[in-house]
Amino acid sequence: MYLTTVGKRGDVLPVGLAPAGGLIRAQDFSFKNWTSTDEVAIGRIRDKDRTLNEGEFVTRVLAHFLRTWCGVSFDGLDDVSKLLLLKKSSAADVLYAWFRLRQDVLGNNYTMDMSCGNCKHPIPYEIDLGSTEVFVTDPDEDPTWEFELADGVEWMDKTRKVLTLQPIPWGVQERVYAGEEGEGTVNIGTMKLALVTGSIIRLEGMDHDVAIPSGRLQFSKRDLEGLSSSIVEMNPGLDLIVEVECPKCHLRLRRPVNWVYDSFFSVEAPASSGGRTSTKSGRSALRSRMESKESADSSNPCDPETDTGTSSD
């Protein structure tokens, strides 16, 4: 896994999908042009099913505009097959394609409306989508990793301590957006378990992948937090957190990019304890390595809404 930007990456997915029996993942995708006819079609998607959550809506819109996805032509696919292919793709890939679609049709600039959590001062924040950082993998790189539990978990009458994890599938992320009652009401514990369970593909002693129902495994608190931290650290994809200083009280703010359709596709919008991850480099290591390189280069003449609560003088 390595760090680049959306502008440099272009129409190449962070993870991709391998064909049946293949080891090299296809990472290509392409869109058709967005016209007035498509604007009407997008409106019909919403009108047809008002129960769609934001994740499901993203899936439907992408399925409408995609021409190709990971070596598969969408021209000959029925709607159900398109949706299933996107659901089994990684969340990193689907959100990346969503960013690229917005960039293609409306350009790089996006103004996100924020307000200070301390003094409530409005802060319109201009984002250059092309400079957004993204953690990506090479097509022949194994995107899975191992995590060793501190306490272990019971499965088929055996205690398993080593789990193999994969990037979060979009189908899992989509269900999390729906909320446990399908109405956007998210229980944080349920959400955490769904993301953890959906990321597990093998347990110690197994030679094949396994689908585990959410809540089936009983983790200790220490192991659950360790797994959650590892998933955040090791997943490829966009860095969706922006940092800005309030011009009035100088509080440093960290906020997620608002990618919800009504804001993102409108030019009028103002905008762990316990456990151990394998030695494969995660996000922190990559960013630290990149920052060290940038620091060395600069000295060479040849060359969800949380505030940090940190104020600067």
Side-chain angles (χ1 to χ4, degrees), residues 13-296:
L13 296 169
V15 182
L17 292 172
L23 297 177
I24 306 300
R25 299 188 312 282
Q27 297 177 315
D28 64 293
F29 68 102
S30 61
F31 296 114
K32 68 178 184 178
N33 292 331
W34 189 319
T35 68
S36 298
T37 301
D38 297 304
E39 194 76 19
V40 174
I42 299 307
R44 285 176 179 160
I45 291 175
R46 275 229 167 117
D47 291 340
K48 185 176 180 180
D49 192 349
R50 292 285 181 177
T51 66
L52 291 177
N53 65 67
E54 288 299 331
E56 293 167 328
F57 186 69
V58 166
T59 312
R60 303 289 179 91
V61 173
L62 287 179
H64 176 84
F65 283 106
L66 281 167
R67 286 193 183 277
T68 59
W69 183 262
C70 299
V72 177
S73 172
F74 267 38
D75 290 342
L77 289 185
D78 59 71
D79 290 343
V80 172
S81 297
K82 293 177 182 178
L83 297 178
L84 288 175
L85 186 59
L86 290 171
K87 288 173 187 287
K88 81 172 187 177
S89 299
S90 71
D93 285 347
V94 171
L95 285 176
Y96 183 82
W98 186 245
F99 260 59
R100 287 291 292 137
L101 178 61
R102 199 280 182 191
Q103 196 179 23
D104 280 354
V105 299
L106 290 177
N108 269 331
N109 295 330
Y110 170 49
T111 302
M112 190 171 75
D113 191 28
M114 294 190 292
S115 61
C116 178
N118 180 45
C119 68
K120 312 306 179 185
H121 185 74
I123 312 171
Y125 185 75
E126 191 79 17
I127 300 172
D128 176 4
L129 299 179
S131 66
T132 301
E133 292 182 335
V134 55
F135 295 85
V136 303
T137 61
D138 288 323
D140 59 348
E141 177 184 349
D142 184 0
T144 66
W145 70 97
E146 289 187 345
F147 182 85
E148 183 177 344
L149 300 172
D151 300 314
V153 65
E154 294 297 317
W155 179 258
M156 298 180 65
D157 299 323
K158 290 184 179 180
T159 300
R160 320 276 179 161
K161 281 215 165 186
V162 180
L163 308 179
T164 302
L165 306 176
Q166 66 175 340
I168 299 170
W170 179 247
V172 172
Q173 189 75 64
E174 200 182 62
R175 291 195 297 274
V176 168
Y177 290 135
E180 64 173 336
E181 299 175 5
E183 298 175 353
T185 305
V186 178
N187 177 294
I188 299 300
T190 301
M191 178 179 70
K192 184 180 293 186
L193 281 173
L195 293 176
V196 166
T197 307
S199 299
I200 298 170
I201 55 172
R202 280 190 301 279
L203 295 91
E204 180 182 6
M206 304 181 73
D207 58 2
H208 60 279
D209 294 353
V210 59
I212 302 173
S214 181
R216 171 65 178 80
L217 298 176
Q218 295 298 312
F219 296 103
S220 68
K221 175 64 172 174
R222 177 166 56 174
D223 282 343
L224 184 59
E225 294 303 321
L227 278 166
S228 298
S229 296
S230 180
I231 289 169
V232 171
E233 177 73 10
M234 299 300 293
N235 260 270
L238 294 159
D239 184 352
L240 294 176
I241 301 298
V242 298
E243 297 188 14
V244 62
E245 180 178 303
C246 174
K248 185 176 180 180
C249 71
H250 305 294
L251 185 76
R252 296 292 299 178
L253 311 174
R254 299 181 76 250
R255 300 284 173 83
V257 175
N258 181 7
W259 51 263
V260 173
Y261 178 82
D262 289 336
S263 173
F264 202 45
F265 283 84
S266 171
V267 294
E268 295 180 356
S272 131
S273 59
R276 178 167 56 85
T277 299
S278 66
T279 55
K280 186 182 292 187
S281 292
R283 291 186 170 211
S284 298
L286 287 170
R287 179 166 279 124
S288 177
R289 193 179 309 155
M290 195 167 191
E291 288 172 350
S292 296
K293 180 180 183 303
E294 289 174 351
S295 177

